[in-house]
Amino acid sequence: MTDTATPKAAEDIPAGADTPARDAPARSYAKLAADESREDYSLRYAPHSFRRWSPATVAGTALGGIAYLADFAIGASIVFTYGFTSGLASILAAATIIFLTGVPIARACAKYGLDMDLVTRGAGFGYFGSTLTSLIYASFTFIFFALEGSIMAQAMHQAVGLPVEAGYLLTTLIVIPIVFRGMGALAKVQAWTQPVWIVGMVLPFVVLAFEAPDAWGTFGSFGGTEGAGSGFSWIGFGLGTGVALSLIAQIGEQADYLRFMPARTEANKRRWNLAVLAAGPGWVVIGAAKQIGGALLAFVALEAVGKTHALEPIAPQIEALRPWLGSFALPAAAVFVIVSQIKINVTNAYSGSLSWSNFFSRITHRHPGRVWYIFLNLSIALTLMEMNMFAALNKLLGFYSNVGIAWIAAVATDLVVNKRIGLSPRYIEFKRAYLYAVNPAGFGAMVIASTVSILAFFGLFGRYAEAFSTFIAAGLASTLCPLIAWATKGKYYLARPNPVNGPGVEVADITATHTCAVCETAYELPDIADCPVRSGPICSLCCSLDAKCGDVCRKQPSAGPVLMPVPTVRATAPEAG
């Protein structure tokens, strides 16, 4: 989006915008940013008019994005390093933590039509405080794009002899046309590829059940390849949990789909609740099963292919399928791996474009459109692939966990604790016009928790603290968030009251629209703020991009609401939970 004082061309006018003859709007959209079929409301509330998919469709699309095989590599790496017993305990412990923190976040995103960044703003971080978490989330998307891309390149090398360096480039380019077209295209790709993925996922384990029925029993006594032994080790458990917890930010990618969930009603509430649970925290149930299954396949293939190739998901797939498919095992495994990696990497690229958009819009007050940030995210991911990040998997993911879990734990604690006991507003306020730049409750808790846990991760506090650094991050963030909110009396959640969402204020039908005084486009009520500078309503994105207002609305809250009254009252202000 660009600021301009000149009239805009007809093709650059956003759909639904008013076009008064006397004046051009104060801001016009760049053509790509104006096309919501591609933009998908990347920096704002997803309106009900856009949420045209059923709960089942949204859930299916979200779950399609967890087809990735990094779970296989992560599970195998954990078990090979720390042995079966400690590895299994690590995977299950991490899954439990991810599930519990994911429940409130998934419900908030689905209920309010907001992505992870916007929820973070209103859940204790403030307008600029969540900028750092946008970088954390962007890092998650390009790290895992690189990891998944490496797995796909390995499959193409095995199948057709394509050099892995060329494979890295191909895996990067292949997702661009899909991600460019937004949620509609992603939903179709996930639906069309799901049958192939399900068959490819299940078949190797069916073959093993018939051809190597004693594999699981032998696997249960596996002591790893690093001499860890088959017994339980607290050090191995802590370190392994840290690696598995690197996946905790996956809830952000699930939220990027969940924000398109239709409104919860009496008629659909059972399907809605089930869809949100399955597509939100429910992903980790499948994820944990894939980690354990991937470790089993790698163990069975270990003697035949060696440790290095056993950690690459394509080789264990081939070995598992060979007894039934013979020479067709290689192409069958390659197709499965490539389909799986396309399914996840379109999600990684899509979510990365959203997080970079959120970051740069606040820093630069510019928004050229979500699609341009696809190229930034993919360029970083391609660089990581060329640097062979796959070889440093455990260390990289273990380090990332300390920051990721501090962020997610702080947000989940605010939603579950602070909002319920009155330390935080009951609804999610995401608009710049009503937020402080930084809220120390969530932002401070995350910074302190991640700093301490990273120091522990690098051994400053001893071996056990190093192993359990992610537990330190989770515990500190969960404790400090309500403590800081209590100490500051919740002062930094709202810079001024929201005349629409304030306590006890009744609001009109949230699908009622107001025309933004800046871009002259009509938006639903939750996306609108009252602006004393413009003397009228302003949409959340135009508010974010305004570099000249000086945040007058925060300094002069007495300016009062300037929203046009809507006569029909149908609902009370929504609350979190």
Side-chain angles (χ1 to χ4, degrees), residues 5 49 82 114 268 406 410 428 519:
S49 60
Y82 307 113
L114 305 176
N268 74 359
I428 306 292
C519 66

Side-chain angles (χ1 to χ4, degrees), residues 245-524:
L245 279 173
S246 63
L247 293 165
I248 196 166
Q250 177 65 33
I251 190 62
E253 295 196 345
Q254 304 308 112
D256 288 337
Y257 295 113
L258 287 171
R259 65 196 176 105
F260 298 123
M261 193 70 70
R264 181 176 179 269
T265 64
E266 283 298 315
N268 74 359
K269 66 179 182 181
R270 182 171 297 178
R271 287 178 284 117
W272 192 94
N273 288 333
L274 181 61
V276 171
L277 187 67
W283 77 266
V284 78
V285 177
I286 301 172
K290 285 164 59 187
Q291 288 176 44
I292 297 168
L296 172 62
L297 293 180
F299 165 75
V300 173
L302 180 60
E303 185 175 347
V305 303
K307 177 187 172 182
T308 299
H309 290 300
L311 293 174
E312 301 171 356
I314 179 67
Q317 287 281 323
I318 295 170
E319 292 303 313
L321 295 175
R322 199 184 301 279
W324 284 13
L325 301 185
S327 61
F328 291 102
L330 173 56
V335 168
F336 168 66
V337 172
I338 291 170
V339 167
S340 298
Q341 302 317 91
I342 290 176
K343 285 169 73 67
I344 179 54
N345 266 353
V346 294
T347 298
N348 282 328
Y350 177 73
S351 295
S353 70
L354 296 179
S355 57
W356 283 120
S357 295
N358 274 300
F359 174 77
F360 281 109
S361 68
R362 278 170 286 177
I363 298 300
T364 66
H365 297 284
R366 299 284 175 178
H367 179 52
R370 171 191 69 83
V371 295
W372 295 109
Y373 294 110
I374 296 170
F375 301 101
L376 171 62
N377 209 53
L378 296 186
S379 297
I380 299 172
L382 179 59
T383 301
L384 288 177
M385 283 188 274
E386 298 291 354
M387 293 170 60
N388 193 25
M389 63 152 284
F390 196 84
L393 183 64
N394 275 8
K395 204 68 176 176
L396 177 63
L397 298 184
F399 172 79
Y400 179 84
S401 291
N402 293 281
V403 182
I405 196 170
W407 164 37
I408 298 298
V411 172
T413 301
D414 187 89
L415 295 172
V416 173
V417 179
N418 294 9
K419 291 191 179 303
R420 293 185 183 277
I421 65 177
L423 292 173
S424 171
R426 295 279 287 179
Y427 70 100
I428 306 292
E429 182 55 78
F430 66 93
K431 297 180 284 293
R432 173 191 178 188
Y434 304 111
L435 294 173
Y436 280 99
V438 175
N439 185 344
F443 182 78
M446 182 197 73
V447 170
I448 294 170
S450 58
T451 299
V452 173
S453 64
I454 288 172
L455 292 175
F457 177 77
F458 284 109
L460 188 64
F461 307 126
R463 181 64 172 158
Y464 277 91
E466 176 184 350
F468 286 87
S469 63
T470 50
F471 289 85
I472 294 172
L476 278 177
S478 300
T479 302
L480 290 174
C481 183
L483 282 179
I484 296 173
W486 171 79
T488 57
K489 299 181 180 178
K491 173 184 175 181
Y492 295 99
Y493 280 93
L494 292 177
R496 62 172 177 137
N498 184 332
V500 171
N501 293 112
V505 176
E506 291 188 320
V507 298
D509 185 348
I510 59 175
T511 61
T513 59
H514 291 271
T515 300
C516 174
V518 181
C519 66
E520 297 185 355
T521 306
Y523 292 101
E524 290 181 8

Side-chain angles (χ1 to χ4, degrees), residues 199-211:
V199 171
M201 176 62 65
V202 173
L203 186 58
F205 298 100
V206 174
V207 175
L208 281 183
F210 283 94
E211 300 297 329

Side-chain angles (χ1 to χ4, degrees), residues 134-176:
S134 292
L135 282 180
I136 296 170
Y137 184 32
S139 300
F140 175 86
T141 64
F142 63 65
I143 286 173
F144 277 89
F145 187 102
L147 178 55
E148 306 296 349
S150 297
I151 292 171
M152 186 172 170
Q154 292 160 5
M156 290 188 290
H157 177 69
Q158 285 273 86
V160 298
L162 183 71
V164 289
E165 291 78 10
Y168 295 153
L169 180 60
L170 181 58
T171 63
T172 302
L173 296 177
I174 199 171
V175 304
I176 293 176

